Amino acid sequence: MRGAKSAKWVAGAAIIALAATACGGGDDSGKGKGGDSAKGAVNADGIFSVEVGEPQNPLQPANTMESNGSIVTDAIFSQLVDYDPAGKLEMINAESVETKDSKLWTVKLKKGWKFHDGTPVTAKSYVNAWNWAANIKNNQTNASWFGDIKGYSDVHPEDAKAKPKSDTMSGLKVVDDHTFTIELNGALPYFSYKLGYTVFSPLPESFYKDPKAAGQKPVGNGAYKFVSWDHKKQIKVVRNDDYQGPDKAKNGGVVFKNYSTLETAYEDLKSGNVDVLRQIGPKDLPVYRADLGDRAVDKAYSAVQTIAVAFYTDQWKDVNPKVLQGLSMAIDRNTITKTVLQGTREPATGWVAKGVLGYQPDAAGDITKYDPAKAKKLIKDGGGVPKDAISIQFNADGGHKEWVEAVCNSITQATGVKCTGDSKADFQADTNARDAKQVKSLYRSGWVLDYPVNANFISDLFRTGAAGNQGDFSNKALDAEIKKADSAASLDESVAAYQKIEKELVNYMPSIPLWYYKVNAGYSEKVQNVDYAQDGDPILTQIEVKK
């Protein structure tokens, strides 16, 4: 869950299949091979710190689509549902989410839930929040996530300059204080899974008085209450003692400390100045296990790294997919993951991450296999790389420089195409450039699951107009196949349809898959019971601070 993150940007038989692939063969304990550090007495009110970067946008649930912001909003807001590591749906703020036809859904809320300002969480809290977030006037990054709901086009017209016909979606109806219904444009068998994403959070009435101010001092309904945001330094939250959810915090709160580089964060971890890291930079990967011992973490999670294409540029506007296939086959993933990335990544063979319902090996066929001769031929047959030179944009604070250089060297040596890295100072600058359509050629991208279904890695990335489709890829035939998969009679049939679509992506090349992620991280001697979720984030509520 926890948000569509451009990664460090990251029911029956169906559940059994997911459980078999969950975690991609990683250590389920999340504590690395050595297990947890020695248990100590716990300070239930203790505060610990986590390494993050500056969030790109204000802390509004529908305006957060990257990891630095989503880890904070997910601490402050809870959603209707969540899911366990096997992909089984769990009710959080919802008592039930039911449907008979996958088109009309009825949500019943648990009673007694309150926002951090003491006001009750009601059906209206959800309906009003979703209508506000979907409205084109409010310019929310993730507005398209409400596109399944009937009446979305009335509040969010396709023409960005057009005024909305309505301020509310006709598909949302409040039945009573604890019940509301959601009517979709058509049947969508996995819709209940989508409701675990942060964009579907409720908002208190106080939000609408000044949404901009609320983004700086958010009031949520989650396990932690917001305290302060010292921009580019830290964000502090404290435990919400009135929280009604199942995941109550076992600590007093969290300080999200801002770091400009992973290397600096790692040095602070070793000296005890930060308690939990989300990732180790390439420079320290060879030594972190020896340095940290049983506090070193090595665990798979559901995310995939890709090279995305700025299709809006003159260079790629009318590109033949064979050119991108050739560039893909010019990348020696095996060598780069073994050397530069120290075996902490696994070469990708498709676009859907491991541990997700519908993951299938070798979905991309041969195009992820290193073959310089075939790479050259494909590029030539496709008309050549426009300008015979490419660049890969990346954020300098995310530990990407080394592998971007290695990928560029591999492409140039295999094909003769000049390739350079285009470094942006930090993740905020990187994502701002993507949003402003300022990418010059290609860009480092990645995707962490929002919900554990393969549609999340296809529809939410490659469908025309999807929020995650920052490169403006568009193909009418693919859109039609996605629509067909979404209207399947059951979850299993929808997953199977998306599996077929994934195998067809090689003919479109909306991006170039690189490798599957792993959490390579660590924590200090001050904390214990540290584990990482399927989205790669530390599970904040279960971390204990030692006395």
Side-chain angles (χ1 to χ4, degrees):
M1 198 182 77
R2 293 176 173 76
K5 306 168 191 173
S6 299
K8 323 278 171 235
W9 175 29
V10 340
I15 293 300
I16 295 171
L18 178 62
T21 59
C23 299
D27 176 1
D28 286 339
S29 71
K31 320 290 193 306
K33 293 182 179 179
D36 203 353
S37 54
K39 296 285 185 178
V42 174
N43 175 6
D45 296 321
I47 305 287
F48 67 95
S49 56
V50 178
E51 158 269 321
V52 295
E54 178 74 358
Q56 180 192 13
N57 295 322
L59 298 172
Q60 300 161 322
N63 210 18
T64 302
M65 198 173 64
E66 44 76 36
S67 56
N68 294 327
S70 62
I71 191 173
V72 183
T73 54
D74 283 333
I76 297 169
F77 293 89
S78 284
Q79 290 75 52
L80 294 166
V81 303
D82 202 343
Y83 9 81
D84 65 19
K88 184 179 179 181
L89 211 60
E90 295 181 325
M91 297 296 113
I92 304 298
N93 196 181
E95 183 71 44
S96 63
V97 178
E98 297 178 339
T99 185
K100 293 180 180 178
D101 59 3
S102 295
K103 183 179 180 182
L104 181 63
W105 299 75
T106 299
V107 177
K108 292 187 179 294
L109 302 179
K110 293 176 181 175
K111 297 179 181 179
W113 277 61
K114 292 181 180 181
F115 288 106
H116 301 151
D117 60 5
T119 59
V121 178
T122 66
K124 191 177 176 183
S125 305
Y126 282 94
V127 169
N128 286 355
W130 298 2
N131 279 322
W132 185 90
N135 196 309
I136 195 170
K137 294 186 296 185
N138 298 319
N139 197 32
Q140 295 293 283
T141 302
N142 285 328
S144 67
W145 277 77
F146 300 97
D148 302 317
I149 300 174
K150 186 178 179 181
Y152 172 76
S153 59
D154 291 335
V155 301
H156 201 107
E158 285 190 25
D159 183 353
K161 296 179 181 179
K163 292 183 179 180
K165 295 178 182 178
S166 173
D167 287 332
T168 60
M169 291 180 280
S170 59
L172 296 179
K173 303 286 186 186
V174 173
V175 177
D176 57 42
D177 281 353
H178 296 95
T179 310
F180 67 100
T181 59
I182 310 163
E183 184 179 359
L184 306 182
N185 293 312
L188 187 63
Y190 58 86
F191 182 72
S192 57
Y193 281 83
K194 298 182 74 170
L195 294 175
Y197 182 29
T198 315
V199 70
F200 292 104
S201 299
L203 292 171
E205 285 302 310
S206 60
F207 174 90
Y208 306 102
K209 296 175 183 177
D210 192 342
K212 186 175 180 181
Q216 299 300 316
K217 297 180 179 180
V219 174
N221 64 327
Y224 294 96
K225 297 189 291 186
F226 174 86
V227 176
S228 61
W229 185 358
D230 191 356
H231 284 274
K232 297 203 171 181
K233 291 184 180 178
Q234 67 177 37
I235 298 172
K236 185 176 181 179
V237 300
V238 296
R239 182 181 62 230
N240 174 20
D241 288 326
D242 295 324
Y243 181 59
Q244 299 296 310
D247 51 335
K248 296 179 185 292
K250 296 180 179 179
N251 50 71
V254 187
V255 175
F256 300 96
K257 294 185 68 173
N258 187 283
Y259 285 92
S260 58
T261 70
L262 295 178
E263 290 75 19
T264 302
Y266 184 66
E267 291 303 315
D268 264 11
L269 177 70
K270 291 193 296 182
S271 59
N273 292 321
V274 67
D275 297 309
V276 179
L277 296 192
R278 297 179 299 164
Q279 204 69 33
I280 302 289
K283 172 180 168 290
D284 298 306
L285 286 175
V287 299
Y288 89 102
R289 293 181 183 87
D291 287 347
L292 302 179
D294 60 5
R295 291 181 289 110
V297 177
D298 183 353
K299 179 180 180 179
Y301 71 105
S302 296
V304 61
Q305 182 83 78
T306 65
I307 294 176
V309 184
F311 286 100
Y312 51 79
T313 62
D314 290 338
Q315 182 176 31
W316 301 113
K317 195 167 289 183
D318 299 309
V319 66
N320 187 320
K322 287 183 178 180
V323 174
L324 296 169
Q325 291 172 357
L327 290 176
S328 178
M329 296 192 77
I331 300 170
D332 189 352
R333 294 165 179 77
N334 287 329
T335 298
I336 294 171
T337 53
K338 287 177 183 176
T339 57
V340 178
L341 295 170
Q342 296 290 313
T344 61
R345 305 288 185 270
E346 180 183 347
T349 58
W351 286 266
V352 174
K354 286 192 168 185
V356 171
L357 187 59
Y359 163 77
Q360 52 189 343
D362 301 320
D366 290 339
I367 66 103
T368 57
K369 296 175 182 176
Y370 182 56
D371 189 332
K374 194 166 183 180
K376 279 184 180 179
K377 185 177 187 305
L378 282 166
I379 291 173
K380 183 180 178 181
D381 291 348
V385 172
K387 302 179 183 179
D388 205 35
I390 59 176
S391 62
I392 303 173
Q393 179 179 300
F394 67 96
N395 51 303
D397 62 343
H400 303 297
K401 181 175 182 288
E402 292 83 356
W403 71 253
V404 168
E405 289 178 347
V407 165
C408 273
N409 288 337
S410 183
I411 289 172
T412 300
Q413 289 174 13
T415 67
V417 175
K418 183 180 179 182
C419 179
T420 55
D422 180 10
S423 176
K424 300 300 177 186
D426 53 31
F427 199 22
Q428 187 178 40
D430 178 32
T431 49
N432 283 341
R434 299 189 211 175
D435 288 347
K437 309 300 180 189
Q438 294 174 346
V439 176
K440 298 169 186 174
S441 180
L442 307 171
Y443 61 96
R444 176 209 75 82
S445 185
W447 197 255
V448 184
L449 88 167
D450 306 310
Y451 52 95
V453 182
N454 57 356
N456 184 222
F457 287 80
I458 300 173
S459 177
D460 295 314
L461 279 174
F462 307 136
R463 186 183 75 254
T464 300
N469 189 352
Q470 295 177 310
D472 282 0
F473 171 80
S474 182
N475 185 281
K476 290 182 179 179
L478 184 62
D479 287 344
E481 288 298 311
I482 287 172
K483 188 174 182 179
K484 187 177 177 181
D486 284 347
S487 61
S490 68
L491 176 61
D492 286 346
E493 289 177 66
S494 180
V495 167
Y498 270 108
Q499 287 180 316
K500 181 182 176 183
I501 291 173
E502 186 187 11
K503 289 186 175 180
E504 295 172 354
L505 290 179
V506 67
N507 300 317
Y508 304 110
M509 292 303 293
S511 66
I512 298 173
L514 290 178
W515 38 75
Y516 304 118
Y517 268 90
K518 291 179 74 177
V519 178
N520 297 99
Y523 51 96
S524 75
E525 295 178 343
K526 175 184 170 183
V527 293
Q528 62 187 21
N529 204 32
V530 180
D531 199 358
Y532 291 73
Q534 196 179 356
D535 66 354
D537 272 346
I539 304 172
L540 303 177
T541 54
Q542 76 171 38
I543 294 175
E544 297 172 336
V545 180
K546 297 179 183 179
K547 282 186 177 179

